[in-house]
Coordinates of all heavy atoms in Angstrom, one line a residue:
R327 N -19.5 5.1 8.4 CA -18.2 6.1 8.3 C -18.1 6.5 6.9 O -17.7 7.7 6.5 CB -17.1 5.3 8.7 CG -15.7 5.9 8.7 CD -15.3 6.5 10.0 NE -13.8 7.0 9.9 CZ -13.4 8.1 9.3 NH1 -14.4 8.8 8.8 NH2 -12.2 8.4 9.2
M328 N -18.2 5.6 5.9 CA -18.0 5.8 4.4 C -19.1 6.9 4.0 O -18.8 7.8 3.3 CB -18.2 4.6 3.6 CG -16.9 3.9 3.6 SD -15.7 4.4 2.4 CE -16.3 3.9 0.9
K329 N -20.3 6.7 4.5 CA -21.5 7.6 4.1 C -21.2 9.1 4.6 O -21.5 10.0 3.9 CB -22.8 7.0 4.6 CG -24.0 7.8 4.1 CD -25.2 7.1 4.2 CE -26.4 7.7 3.5 NZ -27.6 7.0 3.5
E330 N -20.6 9.1 5.7 CA -20.4 10.4 6.3 C -19.2 11.1 5.5 O -19.3 12.3 5.2 CB -19.9 10.2 7.8 CG -19.6 11.4 8.6 CD -18.9 11.0 9.8 OE1 -19.2 10.0 10.4 OE2 -18.0 11.8 10.2
A331 N -18.1 10.3 5.3 CA -16.9 10.9 4.7 C -17.0 11.0 3.2 O -16.6 12.0 2.6 CB -15.7 10.1 5.0
H332 N -17.6 10.1 2.5 CA -17.7 10.0 1.1 C -19.1 9.6 0.6 O -19.3 8.5 0.0 CB -16.7 8.9 0.5 CG -15.3 9.4 0.9 ND1 -14.6 10.5 0.3 CD2 -14.4 8.8 1.6 CE1 -13.4 10.6 0.9 NE2 -13.2 9.5 1.6
P333 N -20.1 10.4 0.9 CA -21.5 10.1 0.5 C -21.7 10.0 -1.0 O -22.6 9.4 -1.5 CB -22.4 11.3 0.9 CG -21.2 12.4 1.1 CD -20.0 11.8 1.4
D334 N -20.7 10.3 -1.8 CA -20.8 10.3 -3.3 C -20.2 9.0 -3.8 O -20.2 8.7 -4.9 CB -19.9 11.4 -4.0 CG -18.5 11.4 -3.4 OD1 -18.3 11.3 -2.2 OD2 -17.6 11.5 -4.2
V335 N -19.7 8.1 -2.9 CA -19.0 6.9 -3.3 C -20.0 5.7 -3.0 O -20.2 5.2 -1.9 CB -17.7 6.7 -2.7 CG1 -17.0 5.3 -3.1 CG2 -16.8 7.8 -3.1
P336 N -20.7 5.1 -4.1 CA -21.5 3.9 -3.8 C -20.7 2.7 -3.3 O -19.6 2.5 -3.9 CB -22.2 3.6 -5.1 CG -21.9 4.9 -6.0 CD -20.7 5.5 -5.5
I337 N -21.3 1.9 -2.5 CA -20.6 0.7 -2.1 C -21.3 -0.6 -2.6 O -22.6 -0.7 -2.4 CB -20.6 0.6 -0.5 CG1 -19.9 1.8 0.1 CG2 -20.1 -0.7 0.0 CD1 -20.2 2.1 1.6
V338 N -20.6 -1.6 -3.1 CA -21.2 -2.8 -3.5 C -20.6 -3.9 -2.7 O -19.3 -4.0 -2.6 CB -21.0 -3.0 -5.1 CG1 -21.5 -4.5 -5.3 CG2 -21.8 -2.0 -5.8
T339 N -21.3 -4.6 -2.0 CA -20.8 -5.8 -1.1 C -21.6 -7.0 -1.3 O -22.7 -6.9 -1.8 CB -20.9 -5.2 0.4 OG1 -20.2 -6.3 1.2 CG2 -22.3 -5.0 0.9
A340 N -21.1 -8.1 -0.7 CA -21.8 -9.4 -0.8 C -22.6 -9.6 0.4 O -23.7 -10.3 0.4 CB -20.8 -10.7 -0.9
A341 N -22.3 -8.9 1.4 CA -23.1 -9.0 2.8 C -22.8 -7.9 3.7 O -21.7 -7.2 3.7 CB -22.8 -10.3 3.5
L342 N -23.9 -7.5 4.4 CA -23.8 -6.5 5.5 C -24.0 -7.3 6.8 O -25.0 -7.8 7.2 CB -24.9 -5.4 5.3 CG -25.0 -4.4 6.5 CD1 -23.6 -3.5 6.4 CD2 -26.2 -3.4 6.2
D343 N -22.8 -7.4 7.5 CA -22.8 -8.2 8.7 C -23.3 -7.4 10.0 O -23.8 -6.3 9.8 CB -21.4 -8.7 9.0 CG -21.3 -10.1 8.2 OD1 -22.1 -10.4 7.4 OD2 -20.3 -10.8 8.5
S344 N -23.2 -8.0 11.1 CA -23.8 -7.5 12.3 C -23.2 -6.3 13.0 O -23.8 -5.3 13.1 CB -24.0 -8.6 13.3 OG -24.3 -8.2 14.6
H345 N -21.9 -6.5 13.2 CA -21.1 -5.4 14.0 C -19.7 -5.8 14.0 O -19.2 -6.8 13.5 CB -21.7 -5.3 15.4 CG -21.4 -6.5 16.3 ND1 -22.2 -7.7 16.2 CD2 -20.4 -6.8 17.2 CE1 -21.8 -8.5 17.0 NE2 -20.8 -8.1 17.6
L346 N -18.9 -4.9 14.7 CA -17.4 -5.1 14.8 C -17.1 -5.6 16.2 O -17.9 -5.0 17.2 CB -16.7 -3.8 14.6 CG -16.6 -3.2 13.2 CD1 -15.9 -1.8 13.2 CD2 -16.1 -4.2 12.2
N347 N -16.2 -6.5 16.4 CA -15.9 -6.8 17.8 C -14.8 -5.9 18.4 O -14.4 -5.0 17.7 CB -15.4 -8.3 17.9 CG -14.1 -8.6 17.2 OD1 -13.4 -7.7 16.8 ND2 -13.8 -9.8 17.1
D348 N -14.3 -6.0 19.6 CA -13.4 -5.2 20.3 C -12.1 -5.0 19.5 O -11.3 -4.1 19.7 CB -13.1 -5.6 21.7 CG -14.4 -5.5 22.4 OD1 -15.3 -4.8 22.1 OD2 -14.4 -6.0 23.6
H349 N -11.7 -6.0 18.6 CA -10.5 -5.9 17.9 C -10.7 -5.3 16.5 O -9.8 -5.3 15.7 CB -9.9 -7.4 17.8 CG -9.6 -7.9 19.1 ND1 -8.6 -7.5 19.9 CD2 -10.3 -9.0 19.8 CE1 -8.7 -8.2 21.1 NE2 -9.7 -9.1 21.0
G350 N -11.9 -4.8 16.2 CA -12.2 -4.3 14.9 C -12.5 -5.3 13.9 O -12.4 -5.0 12.6
Y351 N -12.8 -6.6 14.3 CA -13.1 -7.6 13.2 C -14.6 -7.6 13.1 O -15.3 -7.4 14.0 CB -12.6 -8.9 13.7 CG -11.2 -9.2 13.4 CD1 -10.1 -8.7 14.2 CD2 -10.7 -9.6 12.2 CE1 -8.8 -8.9 14.0 CE2 -9.4 -9.9 11.8 CZ -8.4 -9.5 12.8 OH -7.1 -9.5 12.4
I352 N -15.0 -8.0 11.8 CA -16.4 -8.0 11.4 C -17.0 -9.3 12.0 O -16.4 -10.4 11.9 CB -16.6 -8.0 9.9 CG1 -16.1 -6.7 9.3 CG2 -18.1 -8.2 9.5 CD1 -16.1 -6.6 7.8
V353 N -18.2 -9.1 12.7 CA -19.0 -10.3 13.2 C -20.2 -10.5 12.4 O -20.9 -9.6 12.3 CB -19.2 -10.0 14.8 CG1 -20.0 -11.2 15.4 CG2 -17.9 -9.7 15.5
P354 N -20.6 -11.7 12.0 CA -19.8 -13.0 12.2 C -18.5 -13.0 11.2 O -17.5 -13.7 11.6 CB -20.7 -14.1 11.8 CG -21.8 -13.4 10.9 CD -21.8 -12.1 11.3
G355 N -18.5 -12.4 10.2 CA -17.3 -12.1 9.4 C -16.7 -13.4 8.7 O -17.4 -14.4 8.5
L356 N -15.4 -13.3 8.5 CA -14.7 -14.5 8.0 C -13.3 -14.6 8.5 O -12.4 -15.3 8.1 CB -14.7 -14.6 6.5 CG -14.4 -13.3 5.8 CD1 -12.9 -13.0 5.7 CD2 -14.8 -13.6 4.3
G357 N -12.9 -13.7 9.5 CA -11.6 -13.6 10.1 C -10.8 -12.6 9.4 O -11.3 -11.6 8.8
D358 N -9.5 -12.8 9.3 CA -8.6 -11.9 8.6 C -8.5 -12.3 7.1 O -8.0 -13.3 6.8 CB -7.2 -11.9 9.4 CG -6.3 -10.7 8.7 OD1 -6.0 -10.8 7.6 OD2 -6.0 -9.9 9.5
A359 N -9.0 -11.4 6.4 CA -9.1 -11.8 4.8 C -7.7 -12.0 4.3 O -7.5 -12.9 3.5 CB -9.9 -10.7 4.1

Side-chain angles (χ1 to χ4, degrees):
R327 175 103 172 79
M328 280 279 282
K329 189 163 192 176
E330 183 197 322
H332 298 296
D334 56 316
V335 177
I337 300 166
V338 170
T339 184
L342 178 62
D343 273 11
S344 163
H345 63 280
L346 296 178
N347 68 15
D348 292 344
H349 304 286
Y351 279 89
I352 297 176
V353 181
L356 51 71
D358 187 297

